Amino acid sequence: MLGKDLLSVSNLASEDIQLLLRDAADIKAGGRLSLLSGKTLAVMFQKPSLRTRVSFELAMRQLGGEAIYLSPAEVGLGERESIPDVARVLSRYVDAIAARTFSHQTLETLAAHAAVPVINALSDLEHPCQALADLLTISEKKPDLAGLTLAFIGDGNNVANSLMLASVISGLNFRIASPPGYRIREEVLSLARGYAMESGAEILLTEEPAEAATDADVIYTDVWTSMGQEAEAEERRRVFRRYQVNDELMSLAREDAILMHPLPAHRGEEVSPDVLDSPKSVVFDQAENRLHLQKALLATMLGSLEIPLPRY
Ligand code: CP
Ligand code: NVA
């Protein structure tokens, strides 16, 4: 992974993910280490963020490095300046770029012209840092990941794509219940099917939330309307109405099932308030683990984790 981009979970092998989870758990247990001293990260976003921006900036700072936040208005990516030129200029200043873009193609162009690693901080296609932090969260609750069943209820969106890839690469069975027209993209599905063959994980696609949720270990949901799709919000509320994760759906999952959501959440839409705020919900662990996982990721990508971390 050293010096490489992370645009998709499919850039990682199962061993990379295992090492990241181990290192993130070590970093979480051990507090602040000076792994990124002298390093700088550009955090360049075209869309709003709470968790991703704060966790990337703090990850750099707490490990002795620096982060520079670049807002959409400042950079004008592809408007004030061409994407290749932004990539070339930033590469002369910083050691890595974490970018949140509307189009995944923008990230690909950035990465193609940057001399430093580019990290996907969410695009319309994937959200790899979220999926990796989510595996860390699941492993804290259920240490043996392989063989668990994760059921995603809702839109076949960026979060679902990355989660499906991360799950099947790591041997978790992945189910998704989506309405027709909102299924996971065929190209991501075929990639996932290939990984599932290797790991032995199973993939199930259905239109029925109950079929996906039955006996699952993890119930996962995300917003029905992602950033950039605001004009479709009303139509999506209508289409997804019966895809809400509520007590009735949770009761079909295993007794010890956990509820996950990347946040921000819309209580009363994709998830009922009583479920989101119940003891089964691990959504704030997920948010915290973005910080720990991204510390491990940055330290690995920027070359500070070649020597195994001390065990605590
Ligand atoms: N989950 C997540 O990526 O949150 P933000 O959009 O607030 O960064
Ligand atoms: N699917 C959501 C995730 C936000 C973290 C979006 O893209 O807006």
Side-chain angles (χ1 to χ4, degrees), residues 122 127 157-159 222-223 226-227 262-264:
L122 183 147
H127 197 2
N157 63 13
N158 45 9
V159 169
D222 185 18
V223 291
S226 286
M227 291 179 276
L263 303 179

Side-chain angles (χ1 to χ4, degrees), residues 41-257:
L41 175 75
V43 179
M44 182 168 61
F45 282 14
Q46 287 186 321
K47 310 185 203 183
S49 170
L50 174 64
R51 283 144 289 271
T52 308
R53 177 182 173 181
V54 174
S55 58
F56 265 116
E57 290 198 24
L58 277 181
M60 289 303 295
R61 238 178 268 168
Q62 292 181 358
L63 291 183
E66 282 182 54
I68 298 173
Y69 173 70
L70 298 162
S71 72
E74 273 159 333
V75 181
L77 193 60
E79 289 167 8
R80 179 172 182 268
E81 191 156 7
S82 78
I83 302 165
D85 281 359
V86 170
R88 291 180 187 115
V89 170
L90 282 178
S91 300
R92 298 292 179 106
Y93 297 134
V94 302
D95 299 286
I97 303 166
R100 169 168 288 195
T101 60
F102 283 101
S103 156
H104 194 75
Q105 182 57 50
T106 302
L107 276 181
E108 304 260 7
T109 308
L110 261 179
H113 294 90
V116 296
V118 174
I119 302 170
N120 180 353
L122 183 147
S123 70
D124 60 346
L125 187 64
E126 280 206 46
H127 197 2
C129 299
Q130 181 69 53
L132 295 168
D134 291 342
L135 287 189
L136 177 63
T137 305
I138 298 170
S139 71
E140 289 173 345
K141 314 293 171 192
K142 300 171 187 296
D144 202 1
L145 288 180
L148 295 176
T149 296
L150 186 152
F152 188 101
I153 312 294
D155 192 18
N157 63 13
N158 45 9
V159 169
N161 286 339
S162 288
L163 202 56
M164 174 174 65
L165 292 169
S167 296
V168 298
I169 290 173
S170 306
L172 282 88
N173 303 315
F174 183 85
R175 301 178 185 164
I176 180 163
S178 318
Y182 297 87
R183 297 208 181 113
I184 212 129
R185 294 190 201 192
E186 202 49 52
E187 72 264 25
V188 187
L189 186 59
S190 80
L191 206 55
R193 287 209 163 108
Y195 294 125
M197 293 265 281
E198 283 172 37
S199 71
E202 289 171 11
I203 297 175
L204 172 81
L205 277 76
T206 173
E207 286 175 21
E208 299 308 321
E211 189 185 358
T214 299
D215 296 329
D217 299 282
V218 179
I219 302 289
Y220 200 115
T221 191
D222 185 18
V223 291
W224 293 337
T225 301
S226 286
M227 291 179 276
Q229 299 171 334
E230 289 76 8
E232 302 167 23
E234 205 175 313
E235 167 71 357
R236 284 172 171 268
R237 267 195 288 274
R238 190 184 61 73
V239 172
F240 282 97
R241 192 169 300 132
R242 71 185 189 89
Y243 290 81
Q244 185 188 74
V245 175
N246 49 31
D247 266 330
E248 196 186 331
L249 198 69
M250 282 304 289
S251 72
L252 299 174
R254 282 176 57 100
E255 181 85 41
D256 60 352

